[in-house]
């Protein structure tokens, strides 16, 4: 490999202009200096006088951290908790930590958080940062969200499916709690405590939110944005990771101190760039500033996330590699340079016509609105620079803003949740209506899982499925284990599938060595039983070995300890849910893989494929030809029928998490076979 200096330099187009200074000191001083602090009194008055407020403001102006504290201090939340929703769990946990520090308390006391599989709250909690999905889940047990007095819907511009779901439901909840005619919200119509709603957004799309809430009042926080000089590449770049690497070292060798934030689409690119930057940085001349690299993505463990907020050591340049999470959800101090690859990952439902019928993450071009947010991250504390790894023409032809998730993602889980609330997807007033095809597809999935009957009514099984904090198909698998007496094994496997990373490390050029190392977990039926064996072996090792012994064992067997630790936490939650449903999670049939796989077939009816005479696999429901992923232990195997956890869409459609099952298992579970 060549040294970064010898690599071809990227040529940049024209540039922008100048800016002013800033000052930072202790936490309280910092709070007072935030742009939002100037409008504190007015803001409290407006929230007190109005039921619904739409609050817009530049990222970093203090909306997310300060507004809940202002509401708390004003006494408006004396009748209930203040919830602040976040589309991303990392944001919720890191914000709770920050606000707890500002209040001088430990997280979990006055200030807490609640995200899927993790919670730090107590009876004293008054400000609670929650993932939008958690609050949707709370609706199922408390349809009026009566524990809350103020609900702050943050990052509303992201338009995630769950945030849209909340926005729609909050409107009717507020009418019920406050009484439809009580515009000012000062008097409760019944003995219910009134609800206040604050919608916060980082982009200027207030009109739509305001119209939805009967022309609610819109407030603007003027940010303190310094100028950012923007450069575009002169020609388009084919390899954005390599272009980012070269740009980083150009900045590092040519530009004055200041941290660098690089936007990449996902974890794989982040990990690969992390490695290359470290490799090149080691070869830098002694006298040059050193480099610390900090990755940031949704599934990063909290201890590692904390590093991005810690001050950069002297004579060092921090380089943060982040997904679009750093666009608006979290503010990282010290950034002076932004490198924008122009790419992001977007969840999209691939319709059956295109051979899909499932949600998948696709890497795609960002929108103009994202590009502007990304550039803005360089101008928080002083004038900054943004290097866009795409041409100015490419910027000009970007879409203005992203399509809301409700228009492009699977609606299965939301539909089930609405059914539990006694609502129908077709009848709910959303800001944007979902596609008819997506609704139909969700109905069909729920019917295949026996969550709905032929008349589209919720079944008792469907209601139980909604109690689990996992996708309906995974809940179906767990519930099927009641019939087969193997809850313990099934829950272990589902916990692994629900973890944010794969238990098995997959390095494409070491697949033979890996297969060898893992031989002892290998189960002939496929990946599900193999995962179970791996988890059980890990648990044996965990009881006998210390930390470094465990680590070494995981390294030798090419498994991810982090996944196991996470899965064991998830398992606790799933067992708790079983307990609440009166289901015994202790039932076990350790050596009966047939019983275990039958449970998986019940949930994976739609995620299955049959072998064709030509040796390919074709989806049983849907049209796509699928291949078994090279990382699967069944890769290259020809078996009559497979079930899989997910499809990944690259050059081909690959099935991941694959098991071989007898075709006869399917006839026992599909509702169609029961009825026709
Ligand atoms: O929500 P908004 O983007 O308007 O701002 P915020 O998240 O409330 O952040 C306000 C300020 O708090 C940021 O500029 C950061 O300096 C600081 N902050 C921090 O240092 N660490 C965090 N985890 C969150 C915020
Ligand atoms: Mg914010």
């Amino acid at each position: 490999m060549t040294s970064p200096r010898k690599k071809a330099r990227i040529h940049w187009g024209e540039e922008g202009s100048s800016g002013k200074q800033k000052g930072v000191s202790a936490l309280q001083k910092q709070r007072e200096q935030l742009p939002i602090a100037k409008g504190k009194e007015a803001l409290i008055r407006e929230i007190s006088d109005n039921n619904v407020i739409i609050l817009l403001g530049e990222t970093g102006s203090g909306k997310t951290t300060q507004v809940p504290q202002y509401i708390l201090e004003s006494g408006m939340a004396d009748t209930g908790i203040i919830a602040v929703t976040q589309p991303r769990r990392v944001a919720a946990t890191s914000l709770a930590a920050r606000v707890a520090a500002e209040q001088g308390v430990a997280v979990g006391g006055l200030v807490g958080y609640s995200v899927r599989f993790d919670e730090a709250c107590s009876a004293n909690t008054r400000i609670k940062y929650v993932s939008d999905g958690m609050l949707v889940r709370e609706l199922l047990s408390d349809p009026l969200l009566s524990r809350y007095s103020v609900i702050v819907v943050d990052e509303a511009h992201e338009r995630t499916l769950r945030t849209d779901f909340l926005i729609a439901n909050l409107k009717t909840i507020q009418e019920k709690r406050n009484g439809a005619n009580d515009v000012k919200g000062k008097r409760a119509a019944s003995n219910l405590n009134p609800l206040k709603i604050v919608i916060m957004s980082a982009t200027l799309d207030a009109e739509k939110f305001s119209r939805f809430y009967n022309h609610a009042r819109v407030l603007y926080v003027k940010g303190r944005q310094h100028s950012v000089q923007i450069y575009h590449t002169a020609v388009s770049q084919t390899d954005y990771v390599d272009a980012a690497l070269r740009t980083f070292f150009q900045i590092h060798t040519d530009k004055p101190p200041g941290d660098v934030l690089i936007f990449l689409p996902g974890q794989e690119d982040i990990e690969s760039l992390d490695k290359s930057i470290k490799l090149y940085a080691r070869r830098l001349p002694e006298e040059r500033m050193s480099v610390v690299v900090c990755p940031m993505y949704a599934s990063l463990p909290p201890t590692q996330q904390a590093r991005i907020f810690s001050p950069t050591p002297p004579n060092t340049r921090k380089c943060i590699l982040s997904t679009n999470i750093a666009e608006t959800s979290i503010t990282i101090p010290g950034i002076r340079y932004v490198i924008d690859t122009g790419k992001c990952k977007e969840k999209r439902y691939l319709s059956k016509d295109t051979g899909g019928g499932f949600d998948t993450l696709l890497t795609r071009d960002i929108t103009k609105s994202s590009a502007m947010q990304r550039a803005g991250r360089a101008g928080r504390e002083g004038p900054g620079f943004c290097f866009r790894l795409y041409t100015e023409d490419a910027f000009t032809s970007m879409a203005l803003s992203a399509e809301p998730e409700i228009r492009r993602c699977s609606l299965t889980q939301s539909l089930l949740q609405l059914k539990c609330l006694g609502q129908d997807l077709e009848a709910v007033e959303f800001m944007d209506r979902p596609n008819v095809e997506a609704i139909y597809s969700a109905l069909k999935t729920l019917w295949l899982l026996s969550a709905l009957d032929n008349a589209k009514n919720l079944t008792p099984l469907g209601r139980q499925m909604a109690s689990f904090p996992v996708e309906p198909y995974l809940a179906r698998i767990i519930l099927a284990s009641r019939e087969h007496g193997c809850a313990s094994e099934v829950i272990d496997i589902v916990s692994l599938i629900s973890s944010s990373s794969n238990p098995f490390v997959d390095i494409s050029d070491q697949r033979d060595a890996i297969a060898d190392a893992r031989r002892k977990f290998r189960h002939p039926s496929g990946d599900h039983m193999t995962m179970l064996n791996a988890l059980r072996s890990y648990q044996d090792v965990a009881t006998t070995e210390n930390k470094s012994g465990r680590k070494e064992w995981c390294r030798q067997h090419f498994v991810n300890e982090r996944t196991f630790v996470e899965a064991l936490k998830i398992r606790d939650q799933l067992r708790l849910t079983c307990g609440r449903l009166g289901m015994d999670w202790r039932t076990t049939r350790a050596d009966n893989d047939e019983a275990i796989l039958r449970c998986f077939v019940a949930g994976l009816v739609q995620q299955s494929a049959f072998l064709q005479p030509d040796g390919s696999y074709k989806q049983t429901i849907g049209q796509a030809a699928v291949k078994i992923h090279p990382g699967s232990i069944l890769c290259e195997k020809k078996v009559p029928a497979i079930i899989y956890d997910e499809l990944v869409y690259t050059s081909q459609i690959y099935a991941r998490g694959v098991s071989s099952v007898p075709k006869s298992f399917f006839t026992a579970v599909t509702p169609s076979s029961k009825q026709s």
Side-chain angles (χ1 to χ4, degrees):
M1 239 183 256
T2 54
S3 89
R5 290 227 59 136
K6 296 214 189 79
K7 282 207 150 213
R9 291 178 71 86
I10 292 175
H11 297 283
W12 302 99
E14 66 273 18
E15 39 195 88
S17 58
S18 70
K20 48 180 199 269
Q21 291 308 307
K22 60 114 214 182
V24 231
S25 63
L27 229 42
Q28 290 315 317
K29 188 106 180 267
Q30 255 183 46
R31 282 191 69 189
E32 284 159 23
Q33 286 178 347
L34 285 169
I36 203 167
K38 280 198 208 75
K40 179 176 175 181
E41 304 307 324
L43 188 60
I44 292 175
R45 205 167 46 244
E46 293 282 2
I47 297 176
S48 148
D49 286 353
N50 294 279
N51 264 341
V52 183
I53 285 285
I54 320 288
L55 180 64
L56 300 192
E58 203 71 71
T59 301
S61 53
K63 299 182 298 298
T64 312
T65 53
Q66 305 309 304
V67 170
Q69 297 185 76
Y70 295 171
I71 297 173
L72 182 73
E73 288 162 23
S74 72
M76 265 187 280
D78 290 350
T79 56
I81 303 167
I82 306 164
V84 189
T85 70
Q86 294 294 318
R88 298 183 179 82
R89 46 182 288 155
V90 204
T93 52
S94 95
L95 284 159
R98 168 73 185 190
V99 173
E102 289 184 3
Q103 288 282 328
V105 297
V107 184
L110 184 72
V111 183
Y113 67 81
S114 171
V115 298
R116 195 165 81 129
F117 305 133
D118 190 11
E119 187 176 79
C121 289
S122 65
N124 299 329
T125 302
R126 310 302 304 155
I127 298 178
K128 190 157 116 183
Y129 286 87
V130 294
S131 58
D132 48 9
M134 275 313 286
L135 205 60
V136 168
R137 189 154 286 288
E138 275 204 57
L139 273 173
L140 302 182
S141 53
D142 179 9
L144 290 178
L145 295 173
S146 51
R147 300 205 293 142
Y148 302 96
S149 57
V150 182
I151 293 177
V152 181
V153 179
D154 200 4
E155 307 284 329
H157 61 273
E158 288 212 14
R159 304 291 312 278
T160 64
L161 180 55
R162 294 176 178 117
T163 292
D164 271 15
F165 188 113
L166 280 174
I167 287 175
N169 273 278
L170 285 175
K171 187 173 174 178
T172 44
I173 291 171
Q174 189 173 57
E175 281 163 10
K176 284 187 192 142
R177 278 175 54 174
N178 297 21
N181 302 321
D182 178 16
V183 199
K184 291 288 180 189
K186 296 221 158 154
R187 169 184 52 84
S190 59
N191 51 2
L192 293 166
N193 57 339
L195 173 70
K196 286 199 178 285
I197 302 171
V198 180
I199 309 279
M200 305 206 294
S201 164
T203 55
L204 297 172
D205 52 4
E207 216 12 69
K208 196 159 189 170
F209 298 113
S210 170
R211 230 180 305 126
F212 185 78
Y213 280 106
N214 309 320
H215 302 280
R217 195 147 161 74
V218 182
L219 304 175
Y220 298 85
V221 195
K222 213 172 143 29
R224 186 181 39 212
Q225 182 64 36
H226 301 270
S227 69
V228 175
Q229 238 172 297
I230 294 173
Y231 301 87
H232 294 91
T233 54
V235 292
S236 47
Q237 303 292 310
T238 43
D239 182 347
Y240 56 82
V241 177
D242 182 62
L245 175 71
R246 286 183 285 144
T247 307
F248 172 75
F249 281 101
Q250 279 176 23
I251 294 171
H252 189 62
T253 46
D254 299 351
K255 298 274 184 194
D259 295 341
V260 180
L261 170 60
I262 308 182
F263 284 101
L264 291 144
Q267 184 178 346
E268 304 83 55
D269 287 329
I270 289 177
E271 284 171 350
S272 126
L273 186 57
D274 183 1
K275 276 199 200 100
S276 351
I277 291 182
K278 280 178 182 150
L279 187 72
Y280 284 121
R282 278 200 288 272
R283 302 185 192 169
L284 288 171
E286 286 276 320
E287 67 280 5
R288 179 107 37 224
M289 260 195 293
S290 47
V291 176
V292 288
V293 192
C294 305
M296 182 71 199
Y297 45 85
S299 61
L300 196 72
T303 45
Q304 285 190 49
Q305 287 161 27
R307 285 179 56 216
I308 67 164
F309 298 107
S310 63
T312 311
N315 202 29
T316 303
R317 196 190 296 273
K318 197 191 277 181
C319 175
I320 294 147
L321 311 179
S322 176
T323 59
N324 52 7
I325 185 165
E327 239 172 70
T328 60
S329 303
I330 55 161
T331 313
I332 304 160
I335 303 298
R336 186 150 181 213
Y337 307 96
V338 164
I339 301 174
D340 175 11
T341 58
K343 302 283 176 191
C344 67
K345 279 212 175 161
E346 187 184 79
K347 193 153 79 164
R348 194 165 268 278
Y349 182 78
L350 288 184
S351 75
K352 298 207 174 67
D353 318 334
T354 57
F358 54 89
D359 268 346
T360 189
L361 278 176
L362 295 175
T363 298
R364 53 164 295 161
D365 291 341
I366 57 169
T367 61
K368 268 204 184 97
S369 147
S370 288
M372 280 160 3
Q373 286 293 339
R374 289 179 175 194
R377 300 309 98 237
R380 281 284 307 131
E381 293 170 14
F385 302 85
C386 175
F387 298 86
R388 289 179 172 159
L389 303 178
Y390 45 91
T391 62
E392 193 157 11
D393 281 349
F395 172 74
T396 315
S397 52
M398 280 174 178
L400 210 55
S401 56
E403 200 181 5
E405 269 188 12
I406 199 165
R407 305 276 306 163
R408 59 179 160 89
C409 293
S410 156
L411 302 170
T412 309
Q413 191 164 26
S414 296
L415 178 59
L416 180 63
Q417 286 165 333
L418 284 174
K419 286 281 183 188
C420 291
L421 292 169
Q423 302 172 18
D424 270 305
L425 202 57
E426 296 93 325
V428 178
E429 184 196 352
F430 285 106
M431 290 216 301
D432 282 282
R433 301 202 59 77
N435 293 321
V436 177
E437 196 222 342
I439 297 179
Y440 172 76
S441 163
L443 282 167
K444 184 173 172 193
T445 301
L446 291 177
W447 175 74
L448 281 167
L449 294 173
S450 305
L452 299 181
D453 63 16
N454 287 351
K456 295 195 249 176
N457 293 317
L458 186 68
T459 62
L461 186 67
R463 190 171 290 281
Q464 292 175 336
M465 281 162 61
S467 319
F468 285 91
V470 292
E471 292 268 340
Y473 77 95
L474 292 172
R476 179 72 182 89
I477 296 171
I478 299 175
L479 288 164
S481 71
R482 278 187 301 203
E483 242 173 274
H484 299 285
C486 50
S488 165
E489 290 83 14
V490 164
I491 291 171
D492 279 8
I493 304 170
V494 170
S495 304
L496 284 164
I497 298 174
S498 307
S499 305
S500 48
S501 50
N502 197 314
F504 298 125
V505 179
D506 181 28
I507 309 166
S508 38
D509 56 5
Q510 289 186 44
R511 285 201 177 118
D512 290 342
I514 291 177
D516 228 33
R518 281 197 209 127
R519 198 168 299 279
K520 68 171 173 202
F521 314 136
R522 215 181 156 87
H523 192 282
S525 69
D527 299 324
H528 294 100
M529 293 303 296
T530 302
M531 273 201 259
L532 177 66
N533 289 343
L535 178 68
R536 296 282 159 94
S537 304
Y538 170 76
Q539 283 193 281
D540 290 343
V541 172
T543 51
T544 53
E545 297 282 340
N546 60 12
K547 196 171 162 199
S548 66
R550 284 201 306 270
K551 240 193 160 93
E552 179 54 24
W553 183 87
C554 290
R555 200 191 55 76
Q556 277 173 6
H557 292 89
F558 295 90
V559 291
N560 237 327
E561 181 164 25
R562 168 149 67 88
T563 312
F564 291 132
V565 174
E566 189 186 349
L568 294 176
K569 263 176 101 168
I570 295 174
R571 182 170 83 175
D572 290 341
Q573 301 288 321
L574 297 178
R575 286 176 172 178
L576 269 175
T577 311
C578 288
R580 271 187 232 121
L581 294 176
M583 173 180 161
D584 184 6
W585 57 261
R586 290 177 191 82
T587 61
T588 168
R589 294 177 77 179
D591 298 323
N592 193 330
D593 52 291
E594 190 182 309
I596 297 166
L597 289 172
R598 275 187 187 273
C599 302
F600 278 84
V601 172
L604 299 175
V605 261
Q606 265 191 315
Q607 287 144 268
S608 57
F610 288 169
L611 187 67
Q612 304 301 303
D614 66 1
S616 67
Y617 289 95
K618 192 166 149 243
Q619 281 182 302
T620 47
I621 295 168
Q623 293 305 311
V626 303
K627 285 195 92 159
I628 298 179
H629 194 272
S632 166
I633 70 156
L634 287 186
C635 175
E636 310 284 332
K637 289 265 174 5
K638 302 285 176 209
V639 294
I642 54 167
I643 49 173
Y644 49 81
D645 298 335
E646 58 173 354
L647 290 179
V648 284
Y649 198 82
T650 50
S651 51
Q652 324 202 31
I653 301 177
Y654 283 111
R656 251 206 318 229
V658 183
S659 283
S660 153
V661 288
K663 271 188 178 172
S664 61
F665 283 12
F666 289 92
T667 46
V669 293
T670 44
S672 51
S673 66
K674 286 182 215 154
Q675 277 129 25
S676 60

